[in-house]
Amino acid sequence: LQQRRGVRLSAPAAIQVTVRDALNQALDEELERDERVFLLGEEVAQYDGAYKISRGLWKKYGDKRVIDTPISEMGFTGIAVGAAMAGLRPVCEFMTFNFSMQAIDQVINSAAKTCYMSAGSIAVPVVFRGPNGASAGVAAQHSQCFAAWYGHCPGLKVVSPWSSEDAKGLLKASIRDDNPVVMLENELLYGVPFEMSEQAQSKDFVVPIGKAKIEREGTHVTLVSHSRPVGHCLEAAAVLAKEGVECEVINLRTIRPMDIEAVEASVIKTNHLVTVEGGWPQFGVGAEICARIMEGPAFNYLDAPAVRVTGADVPMPYAKILEDNCIPQVKDIIFAVKKTLNI
């Protein structure tokens, strides 16, 4: 009626939501939606989580749905995998994925392979989630990226969100998936606010696993990344745009199964490829992308060799100046693009 009278009604605006709050929303909505879902891990209940991802959930859902565990990754990961085999949908939080090394036998040998070894008769719908990659000032044993480690293993799905929409949509999709999913978050993104659309605010919003997203359209070079380095790629693209170089930035979102078709389509358009990641170079995500492009239809469209921008091939130093030199920076991406384009 107001529209007929000429009153202009504004559409509901997008809002700013931090990655932490987006993850909290996803957990809250899925715990409410499906009584089989429960969260377990160190300090996830009464303390509201080491990074406050589970804030308020224990008070709302109680001891049976949000469970504090002893400091024993092998133990509580085994409990999560067994519960999934028995028909529940556990969300298993690692305080950091560096500590998942204590439980990698359960993730790889129990969760990932059981569906195959049972000829499809036993599903393992479990989500392993927590911070991954370098944080700040926590040195070598707490600063590894495990995307390549878990992406290597058939039977797992591996997702790696960047924005708040990524985080919420991928976590909800992972909880609803019938396969074991490893969700690699980034601690340095937890407090970062991103715009969240009206659609993403819906309880029905999910991000399909296995689909990349073009964050910025471009014509001269393709930048492919995941997690926090996506932001670095967008910053580099903004700088390069002032010099007349238009970068297409692809946010992978999913490491396994990888949306190589999206990368191929972009490379066919731009004729140049630069991959960016925080992990080590050898056998990394960028190495896999380069190999897949070389083996596929996009190879003949490349006008220059693909270039990888990665973390340094060393354990992470503690000193900040050395740490900064071990993690890809915006200047490193700009240098790689200019090298690829021979400018």
Side-chain angles (χ1 to χ4, degrees):
L1 185 61
Q2 286 178 312
Q3 283 177 322
R4 286 182 182 179
R5 290 173 178 167
V7 178
R8 187 174 179 181
L9 300 178
S10 59
I15 59 173
Q16 293 280 317
V17 177
T18 65
V19 171
R20 173 183 288 110
D21 288 341
L23 291 165
N24 181 265
Q25 283 177 26
L27 286 169
D28 188 7
E29 290 170 8
E30 293 306 302
L31 283 162
E32 183 179 61
R33 174 180 173 271
D34 189 341
E35 63 181 12
R36 296 171 297 173
V37 176
F38 70 97
L39 173 66
L40 77 166
E42 295 152 351
E43 299 184 339
V44 299
Q46 296 184 44
Y47 189 67
D48 281 342
Y51 301 99
K52 308 306 174 193
I53 303 299
S54 52
R55 184 177 56 235
L57 298 180
W58 174 68
K59 287 182 181 177
K60 184 173 181 180
Y61 295 101
D63 290 325
K64 289 187 176 180
R65 306 289 302 282
V66 185
I67 303 168
D68 279 330
T69 66
I71 304 174
S72 174
E73 280 76 14
M74 175 65 86
F76 68 74
T77 306
I79 289 171
V81 174
M85 291 178 180
L88 299 179
R89 290 185 173 269
V91 179
C92 176
E93 178 180 304
F94 296 121
M95 197 175 288
T96 138
F97 262 93
N98 297 275
F99 304 155
S100 76
M101 294 293 94
Q102 296 288 331
I104 198 167
D105 178 61
Q106 294 288 358
V107 178
I108 300 296
N109 281 323
S110 297
K113 299 174 182 175
T114 295
C115 183
Y116 174 81
M117 294 178 70
S118 66
S121 63
I122 302 176
V124 190
V126 58
V127 178
F128 306 105
R129 55 153 296 271
N132 169 71
S135 180
V138 291
Q141 293 177 331
H142 302 81
S143 295
Q144 299 166 80
C145 176
F146 292 94
W149 293 58
Y150 288 115
H152 182 64
C153 181
L156 290 178
K157 294 184 178 181
V158 183
V159 298
S160 181
W162 168 59
S163 67
S164 297
E165 286 198 6
D166 290 352
K168 181 180 180 181
L170 285 171
L171 180 52
K172 288 170 72 72
S174 299
I175 292 170
R176 297 179 188 191
D177 201 287
D178 288 333
N179 299 282
V181 182
V182 172
M183 182 158 173
L184 304 170
E185 302 155 13
N186 188 287
E187 178 187 339
L188 297 178
L189 288 173
Y190 282 155
V192 177
F194 290 88
E195 192 172 272
M196 186 175 276
S197 66
E198 181 193 3
Q199 180 191 11
Q201 296 167 46
S202 163
K203 290 185 178 182
D204 298 320
F205 175 74
V206 294
V207 169
I209 294 173
K211 291 294 181 184
K213 181 185 179 185
I214 298 174
E215 298 287 350
R216 180 185 176 120
E217 299 272 356
T219 53
H220 295 127
V221 61
T222 299
L223 298 178
V224 186
S225 189
H226 66 95
S227 190
R228 186 165 173 256
V230 173
H232 297 340
C233 288
L234 289 170
E235 288 180 47
V239 173
L240 287 160
K242 295 175 183 176
E243 301 179 31
V245 177
E246 292 298 331
C247 302
E248 182 144 295
V249 179
I250 296 180
N251 173 10
L252 274 180
R253 285 179 160 177
T254 305
I255 306 301
R256 183 183 187 103
M258 187 178 288
D259 188 1
I260 201 65
E261 293 83 6
V263 181
E264 286 175 341
S266 181
V267 170
I268 288 171
K269 180 171 71 170
T270 68
N271 310 118
H272 298 89
L273 172 64
V274 175
T275 68
V276 184
E277 64 188 305
W280 294 314
Q282 191 155 320
F283 310 112
V285 175
E288 174 67 16
I289 294 168
C290 291
R292 299 275 282 274
I293 290 298
M294 187 190 75
E295 294 166 350
F299 175 70
N300 290 325
Y301 290 84
L302 282 174
D303 288 342
V307 174
R308 291 179 292 157
V309 179
T310 71
D313 197 22
V314 295
M316 183 62 71
Y318 175 67
K320 184 175 188 333
I321 189 167
L322 295 177
E323 180 183 70
D324 288 344
N325 279 283
C326 283
I327 302 170
Q329 306 292 336
V330 173
K331 62 180 175 63
D332 302 316
I333 301 169
I334 293 171
F335 177 82
V337 168
K338 289 185 174 181
K339 176 183 174 184
T340 305
L341 296 175
N342 196 27
I343 56 175

